[in-house]
Amino acid sequence: MSLVIFVLLRLAPGNMVDILFSTGGYVSESDKAAIEKELGIDRPIWVQYVDWLRDMATGKLGKSYRYDLPAWELIKPLIPVTVELAVLSTIIAILLGVPTGVISAVRQDTSLDYVLRVFSLAGLSMPSFWLGMVIILALVAWIGWIPPITYVSPAENFKIHLVQFLLPALAVGYRSSALITRITRSALLEVMREDYIRTAWAKGQSGRIVIWRHALKNAMLPVITVIGIEFAFLIGGLVVTETVFNLPGVARFLVQAILWRDYPIVQNIVMFIAIVVVLSNLLVDLLYGWFDPRVRYG
Amino acid sequence: MADKRSTVTGDAIELTLPVGLGLPRVGFGTTIWRFCRRKPLGAAGGLLTLALVVTAVLANFLATQDPIATDAVHTLARPSPQFWLGTDHLGRDIYSRIVHGARVSLIVGVLSTLLGSVLGGLIGLLSGYFGGRIDLISQRVMDILQGLPLLVLALVMSASLGPSIQNVILAISIPIIPRAGRVIRSSVLSIREMQYIEAARGLGIGHLRIAFRHVLPNTIGPFIVLTTAQLGSAILVEAALSFLGVGVPEPYPSWGRMLSVSAAEYAQKAPWLVLFPGIAISLAVFGSNLLGDALRDTLDPRLRGG
């Protein structure tokens, strides 16, 4: 994993020093060599890689080329923003996706089902950054709301903070909810054909209990899998959404660091994202056991 | 068009029995007509995709203005008979840029999807057919590639390779490789165990020849489903990359770049700058998603609804 990330990054034509120089005007060749030496990017690439691996193992995560600060110190304060956004988006996606999926399955092949399916497919088709822009535009046009230019922490003003996060979470969550809707629908349709559901109907159990308690519980496994997979997509979606809504999160910083060729930052953020994805997959595996006692580990 | 011909194979499978009973073979037009009646949403998707292709091909005729020419007099003009969808901050005609942008989106989308699926399909075919160590190694590499969000991977790739259309295509195709590999491998695994493969082995046919001549053609169904489904997300990723400034470079008009920072700045004064390119992206992706869904239902009943 680390090797892949490293190699991909070093393929880049032009390094940090070139970019600094092109923005700063003319600087002599010897100055350029001196800066390259100081940053350690004059050495062979494999030496840089071994260095980076050793640093990671010993907890040193490298210094930002641009800010001359340890990468971790720059990234750490940004994590809560991204995590909050990711969690909020996931909650919105589940709240929006599961019920629509259930309704769509129960009313299979009615016009309501068709409307909901088109609605969810539309969510998959709209770029979340565009949706975000349109939401802002609409709010400005209709209620004269002006988007806060800078990030407001919850301690400063909780209401503004909430609005600031809810809108991008809505834009990202809508997209994620689409997949959840589709999986919920198909999983539920399959479970509803099982014998025990027919038994539940036959003994006169009310429709709500049959669907929500008997059927949905067993239909949840594939849904959880998708939520886990979707989490990785969601982080990808945050990259653009944080940029649109100007939120100082990890994802926006990644874009900036890429444009600056600030490798230590990019490497660390990409590693961080990979770790988050692996952890979310682990969490999904553990949730299986909770939803379906037949699944046992160890 | 490849996807339409595929429905022929799809229906041909269903119709093996009637054909054997001496009923007439159904023609190409009939197959399409049946598909449209059974899957109205899919047909709508096919129509949207067709519209995208036609727009891309006929961009030169459909455009009313030069998509690149700037016009200092008519900056941020409202939609009017002269500028159907208004102009941007440099006075470029939005409508003409969208029409030409269809070309960029389609080329990048189709080529990156094809490149990714063909590479991934080959890896999936070989690793599924031969199994063993090849399978193990290639699957681990796929795991790694798949561990990263599609957009993040494409973003890093495209930034590393530098801005050009070829590099954008390459960057978008790489995250598609593991997805294609998975799909093709799983269908190869089941085909490999079939009796006619055993028979081919018995006839002394070489492994590579069996893999390419006898196994590969039977993965065409999942392959078509996969590529149609990926086309939409490839177009979306291209838009996102261009939006972030690491995608298709100037002067090519790209839908994503039309939405980027400059558009956001003028959005209050000229909402058409933001609205129309986004609608274009959504419709294109929506169309290929609808079509992909319907094709999957028709060609690959095992994956239905998933």
Side-chain angles (χ1 to χ4, degrees), chain A residues 33-100:
Chain A
I35 298 175
E36 279 184 344
K37 196 173 163 78
E38 197 196 318
L39 295 174
I41 50 182
D42 57 333
R43 292 167 305 157
I45 281 176
W46 67 269
V47 177
Q48 292 184 40
Y49 176 60
V50 174
D51 272 1
W52 181 52
L53 275 190
R54 197 185 52 220
D55 286 349
M56 259 207 317
T58 52
K60 277 187 282 183
L61 293 174
K63 263 180 166 181
S64 158
Y65 291 163
R66 185 185 164 95
Y67 293 105
D68 202 25
L69 285 167
W72 182 240
E73 258 174 49
L74 286 169
I75 298 173
K76 207 171 90 180
L78 307 178
I79 292 176
V81 173
T82 302
V83 168
E84 187 181 343
L85 204 52
V87 170
L88 216 57
S89 313
T90 312
I91 292 174
I92 289 179
I94 295 172
L95 286 182
L96 204 63
V98 174
T100 31

Side-chain angles (χ1 to χ4, degrees), chain B residues 87-128:
Chain B
T87 62
D88 67 3
H89 60 292
L90 296 174
R92 295 176 295 194
D93 182 41
I94 302 271
Y95 167 73
S96 305
R97 286 177 71 73
I98 287 180
V99 168
H100 278 272
R103 202 175 263 185
V104 174
S105 278
L106 193 70
I107 289 176
V108 172
V110 168
L111 286 186
S112 56
T113 307
L114 276 184
L115 185 66
S117 339
V118 168
L119 283 179
L122 276 182
I123 295 174
L125 172 71
L126 295 179
S127 88

Side-chain angles (χ1 to χ4, degrees), chain B residues 96-265:
Chain B
S96 305
R97 286 177 71 73
I98 287 180
V99 168
H100 278 272
R103 202 175 263 185
V104 174
S105 278
L106 193 70
I107 289 176
V108 172
V110 168
L111 286 186
S112 56
T113 307
L114 276 184
L115 185 66
S117 339
V118 168
L119 283 179
L122 276 182
I123 295 174
L125 172 71
L126 295 179
S127 88
Y129 183 81
F130 290 108
R133 202 172 291 165
I134 300 176
D135 191 31
L136 203 68
I137 293 171
S138 70
Q139 286 308 303
R140 288 297 80 74
V141 175
M142 300 255 176
D143 277 346
I144 292 172
L145 281 178
Q146 218 169 13
L148 284 172
L150 203 144
L151 185 58
V152 170
L153 194 56
L155 182 67
V156 171
M157 281 300 303
S158 147
S160 321
L161 293 168
S164 80
I165 285 202
Q166 291 94 314
N167 288 342
V168 171
I169 292 171
L170 197 64
I172 299 174
S173 69
I174 285 175
I176 296 177
I177 293 177
R179 287 164 181 82
R182 283 279 154 82
V183 172
I184 301 299
R185 176 176 172 270
S186 67
S187 68
V188 168
L189 282 181
S190 65
I191 295 170
R192 189 180 66 173
E193 304 301 327
M194 293 203 173
Q195 275 186 345
Y196 77 95
I197 298 297
E198 210 178 310
R201 276 307 291 158
L203 288 170
I205 301 174
H207 279 300
L208 274 181
R209 195 180 152 85
I210 292 180
F212 282 93
R213 286 292 295 277
H214 301 277
V215 178
L216 192 62
N218 281 311
T219 61
I220 193 78
F223 187 81
I224 287 164
V225 171
L226 178 93
T227 45
T228 344
Q230 287 294 337
L231 178 64
S233 71
I235 292 178
L236 267 186
V237 172
E238 185 273 318
L241 289 181
S242 300
F243 168 76
L244 291 172
V246 294
V248 178
E250 296 276 7
Y252 304 102
S254 147
W255 292 342
R257 193 152 30 70
M258 291 171 77
L259 289 172
S260 70
V261 195
S262 56
E265 264 171 46

Side-chain angles (χ1 to χ4, degrees), chain A residues 74-129:
Chain A
L74 286 169
I75 298 173
K76 207 171 90 180
L78 307 178
I79 292 176
V81 173
T82 302
V83 168
E84 187 181 343
L85 204 52
V87 170
L88 216 57
S89 313
T90 312
I91 292 174
I92 289 179
I94 295 172
L95 286 182
L96 204 63
V98 174
T100 31
V102 171
I103 295 169
S104 200
V106 174
R107 303 254 176 278
Q108 192 194 357
D109 287 332
T110 61
S111 46
L112 183 65
D113 177 30
Y114 267 84
V115 169
L116 288 178
R117 275 162 73 188
V118 168
F119 173 76
S120 81
L121 209 61
L124 271 183
S125 312
M126 280 190 260
S128 56
F129 61 91

